[in-house]
Amino acid sequence: SGQAMWRYLRPARPAAGAPLALLRAQASAPKPLLPKLPQQPRARISSVASPSPLPERVSPEAIKKRQPKPDSWKDSRVTYRGGLYRSKGRSLFGRLMGRWRGTTIDLNHDFRLWHRHEEASRHVRLWLESLFLSQTLQRLIFPDLTIVAAVSAGIVAYNQQLLHAAMEHSAELAAKVASETALQVTMLPGMIALPTEPFSLSGFALGLLVTFRTQNCHGRYVEARILWGTLVNVSRDIASRILCTVPPTSAANLALREKGMRLIRSFPRSIKYHLTVDGFNEEIDIQGCAEVHILEKKDACYRDELAHIWNEKDAYGPAGLAPGMSAAGVVPDLDFPNRLLRKRVRSRPLWIVHELGEVTAAIRDSGAAGPIEVSILDNRILEYNNVLGAMERIMRTPIYTPYTHHTTRFLLIWCSTLPFAMYPVVGPVGTAPVSLVISYMMLGIEDIASRIEQPFEVLPLWRYAATVDESVSQLESHHAAQTPGRAA
């Protein structure tokens, strides 16, 4: 320890009244060497290769093929089975459950999809058309509903065995049972059953717990969607202000404009990979992979998407230059993706925000814009930082976990013991169906809440990134067409 080391190095204190010569001798004496400690084996770290150069061009069609596709029969949603919803086991059962399970992601709606969403026959259609295709039902079948079904079957089998044994010794009881309907039941001493009062009293408290959790999770989902909407709006505003503020009077100005446009298009894609386990890229298979290999796959796919943004031909061709200017020197910072993908860059969205700040500083230093315009741009870039921080807060801070765990335990115990109360009410025929339906409703609410608690896994982030791409491209085309001296 530190104290023991200090006692070892500190010279012995001389006795009181020692002569001056003795003190000088002790001060000049060589210090004893520390005992040599056994060398500990160091962890071997594999060398990481430097980032490979960006490919020449990645087609937009190749990138689109990697995104989740909507189902043909319900094109308003997509069932994503990648990322955290892949099978986590190598057994046959685990692979089958991984292929079947997934999560539903609502896509951007238009008028046609809203009409289908609000049509009068939606209640019957959702029961007849998509009940067994429901992701909530598929996620709850095993093990939650399986436990409820097993408990129901055990109670019915035990009680019916007692009843048949008693009927063999009593003809009167046999005649009474024969005259009963399917939902009537004859209770005998020794049968397993519970009164319904405990479930009525505890059901109110359970409903409050589940409702409170669902409302908080839905609030996180709504906040995440608002933040992405703010990101899209701020991206459009920054792109418009850069195009309108920086005049195309020099090659340096055009390079700054081009770099700003590409940084804006890179920001939502960077957040998409920053907030999700696989960036909604179906080529990234996390099954059985270590975290370092998952990060390498994410980097490779992110590099491809950046290559599409940064290695395409200059959007400001000769027709986009001011009269009398040549295209020489109008070269954007194509080395930026390599710097962004370095291993030491922990927050790539923050790096992009910083680079946008560098662009505004260069605009101010070059005199291309006045201090008021640069100040407005700085304030809009600050919105990027606020959005990034709010998204990271949602991602890193779940609802207080003891509350979530207590609600989950309470709900599972309540649903598992429900067949004990249903047997005296609905009889052996209705115990399992009624218990399963009620458990499905209660567990389904909690399951939906657990999925939207981390909202970035259930929002179509690739669609929002594409919206920013389309908006920036539209602004560039519109600005080139409306600026005097430019070709449309």
Side-chain angles (χ1 to χ4, degrees):
S1 64
Q3 294 181 353
M5 188 71 68
W6 169 247
R7 288 195 300 268
Y8 183 82
L9 294 175
R10 186 181 59 185
R13 179 175 298 178
L20 183 61
L22 178 60
L23 297 178
R24 290 177 178 175
Q26 288 185 357
S28 60
K31 302 296 186 298
L33 297 177
L34 291 174
K36 187 174 182 181
L37 300 176
Q39 186 175 3
Q40 300 293 334
R42 301 180 61 183
R44 188 173 183 179
I45 303 176
S46 58
S47 59
V48 180
S50 59
S52 57
L54 291 169
E56 290 298 328
R57 176 68 183 259
V58 179
S59 64
E61 293 75 15
I63 295 177
K64 289 180 180 178
K65 288 180 180 179
R66 303 173 181 174
Q67 311 301 344
K69 304 299 187 299
D71 297 339
S72 58
W73 64 275
K74 51 175 185 179
D75 52 359
S76 64
R77 297 180 296 171
V78 58
T79 301
Y80 186 55
R81 294 180 174 87
L84 297 175
Y85 303 100
R86 292 189 190 273
S87 170
K88 295 181 175 59
R90 295 183 177 273
S91 63
L92 177 61
F93 178 77
R95 291 196 297 269
L96 290 176
M97 295 303 294
R99 287 181 175 274
W100 194 31
R101 287 177 175 173
T103 188
T104 300
I105 301 175
D106 288 325
L107 303 180
N108 297 336
H109 276 43
D110 54 14
F111 299 108
R112 178 179 56 85
L113 297 179
W114 275 114
H115 175 72
R116 178 175 173 81
H117 181 71
E118 299 170 351
E119 62 185 0
S121 61
R122 64 185 182 276
H123 302 100
V124 178
R125 173 174 56 83
L126 290 174
W127 273 99
L128 299 179
E129 208 175 79
S130 59
L131 173 62
F132 295 101
L133 298 176
S134 169
Q135 294 302 315
T136 303
L137 178 61
Q138 294 174 6
R139 288 165 54 87
L140 292 177
I141 283 181
F142 185 85
D144 301 317
L145 295 181
T146 304
I147 294 175
V148 177
V151 173
S152 302
I155 293 173
V156 171
Y158 179 78
N159 291 343
Q160 288 297 300
Q161 183 180 6
L162 290 180
L163 180 62
H164 287 296
M167 289 170 55
E168 293 178 357
H169 300 85
S170 175
E172 181 181 357
L173 179 61
K176 179 183 177 182
V177 172
S179 63
E180 291 177 348
T181 62
L183 297 181
Q184 291 180 339
V185 61
T186 299
M187 297 300 299
L188 298 177
M191 285 188 174
I192 302 176
L194 287 175
T196 58
E197 285 79 7
F199 293 89
S200 301
L201 296 175
S202 61
F204 178 75
L206 180 60
L208 289 178
L209 289 174
V210 174
T211 301
F212 180 78
R213 170 166 163 74
T214 305
Q215 287 181 345
N216 279 273
C217 294
H218 184 261
R220 294 163 61 91
Y221 178 85
V222 172
E223 183 182 3
R225 182 61 185 94
I226 292 175
L227 289 172
W228 272 98
T230 303
L231 186 148
V232 173
N233 295 340
V234 173
S235 300
R236 292 168 174 170
D237 184 64
I238 295 177
S240 177
R241 290 182 182 276
I242 290 178
L243 290 174
C244 296
T245 301
V246 182
T249 55
S250 65
N253 287 355
L254 285 175
L256 287 175
R257 289 171 57 164
E258 181 68 7
K259 183 177 180 180
M261 296 301 104
R262 300 189 183 197
L263 286 172
I264 293 170
R265 295 171 60 187
S266 303
F267 186 65
R269 297 185 181 276
S270 178
I271 291 185
K272 178 169 66 79
Y273 282 94
H274 184 62
L275 298 177
T276 59
V277 68
D278 62 350
F280 287 106
N281 194 316
E282 293 186 339
E283 290 186 1
I284 301 177
D285 187 0
I286 67 174
Q287 178 181 354
C289 291
E291 184 176 359
V292 61
H293 299 303
I294 297 175
L295 294 177
E296 290 176 356
K297 293 179 180 179
K298 289 176 66 174
D299 289 349
C301 294
Y302 185 37
R303 181 182 295 274
D304 289 346
E305 297 192 24
L306 287 178
H308 169 60
I309 297 175
W310 288 84
N311 277 15
E312 61 184 4
K313 293 182 179 179
D314 186 12
Y316 301 101
L321 299 175
M325 281 186 57
S326 66
V330 186
V331 180
D333 187 8
L334 296 180
D335 188 55
F336 171 74
N338 288 326
R339 301 198 306 272
L340 181 66
L341 291 172
R342 291 174 182 170
K343 298 299 182 182
R344 63 183 179 87
V345 179
R346 299 187 61 182
S347 178
R348 288 164 182 167
L350 181 60
W351 186 287
I352 294 177
V353 173
H354 175 73
E355 287 287 333
L356 275 173
E358 295 285 349
V359 170
T360 58
I363 293 174
R364 178 198 59 212
D365 296 340
S366 65
I372 297 179
E373 290 81 2
V374 173
S375 177
I376 294 175
L377 279 176
D378 287 336
N379 289 334
R380 302 307 286 165
I381 294 174
L382 178 61
E383 290 292 326
Y384 266 172
N385 251 329
N386 295 336
V387 168
L388 175 60
M391 289 182 178
E392 290 179 338
R393 169 177 55 81
I394 295 175
M395 171 67 186
R396 296 172 180 174
T397 310
I399 296 176
Y400 190 51
T401 51
Y403 177 87
T404 302
H405 296 169
H406 179 72
T407 304
T408 303
R409 297 187 189 104
F410 189 178
L411 184 59
L412 183 60
I413 292 175
W414 194 89
C415 293
S416 300
T417 55
L418 184 62
F420 291 93
M422 289 295 101
Y423 183 84
V425 178
V426 295
V429 177
T431 297
V434 173
S435 300
L436 287 173
V437 170
I438 296 176
S439 300
Y440 167 69
M441 300 302 178
M442 297 293 292
L443 292 169
I445 298 174
E446 197 277 336
D447 180 73
I448 294 173
S450 67
R451 279 185 280 170
I452 62 177
E453 184 179 1
Q454 208 291 63
F456 303 111
E457 294 285 349
V458 294
L459 286 171
L461 305 188
W462 71 95
R463 290 287 182 93
Y464 305 150
T467 301
V468 174
D469 279 348
E470 296 168 0
S471 300
V472 172
S473 299
Q474 177 183 346
L475 289 172
E476 289 176 334
S477 302
H478 179 75
H479 184 76
Q482 295 298 325
T483 304
R486 287 174 173 267

